[in-house]
Amino acid sequence: MSRESLAQEIIEAGRFLYGRGWSPATSSNYSARLSASEALLTVSGKHKGQLGVDDVLATDLAGNSLEPGKKPSAETLLHTQLYRCRPEVGAVLHTHSVNATVLSRLTEGDRLVFEDYELQKAFSGVVTHESRVVVPIFDNDQDIARLALKVQPWLDQHPDCAGYLIRGHGLYTWGAKMSDALRQIEAFEFLFECELKTMAVMNRQP
Ligand SMILES: [Zn+2]
């Protein structure tokens, strides 16, 4: 796909994710693969419901801007590491929803495990509710290079991983196409809300 059409996909993803309340207050960042060695990412600090064609920039897969004057998002490395280690990945989405934030803060362990939800089939490669979707939770860190080093071993050891949470911060998920990543964001948000509602009804902590 051309840079123009990938930029348009990112703009439309931003409108959708902001509209759902999952990318408030200029938070979040989105990307698409431009080539085997380049990605197209949202620039830092823009309102995600109002992105324009100039609000994306090309980077190499080490996270360096290829467009002088444009500043990559602080979390660029968390996108580019996925393009580096997963050749099949064509889009990465990162959001800051209320449910991802609250559930990751309430969970004391280092992962969430979803079982017996029909919607698990929305994740690429999952064909039955009789499966386990494991979502690791990494502690938040303003040092993104250090955080990326903690994420990498999990990605290496779990080729079927569909996404991960950063505690008190948000969700990362990805897919072969932007539509796959968007479907997985919706599925994760559905599962997070189910867990939180169940906890509220049962008056329990995860
Ligand atoms: Zn973030």
Side-chain angles (χ1 to χ4, degrees), residues 75 94 96 169:
E75 291 176 51
H94 168 54
H96 286 210
H169 177 160

Side-chain angles (χ1 to χ4, degrees), residues 1-10 12 32-36 38 40 90-91 176-179:
M1 281 176 78
S2 68
R3 178 195 165 108
E4 289 70 29
S5 44
L6 291 172
Q8 201 54 44
E9 281 194 348
I10 289 173
E12 283 167 20
R33 184 191 287 277
L34 263 178
S35 70
E38 295 172 319
L40 192 66
K177 294 181 297 201
M178 184 62 78
S179 56

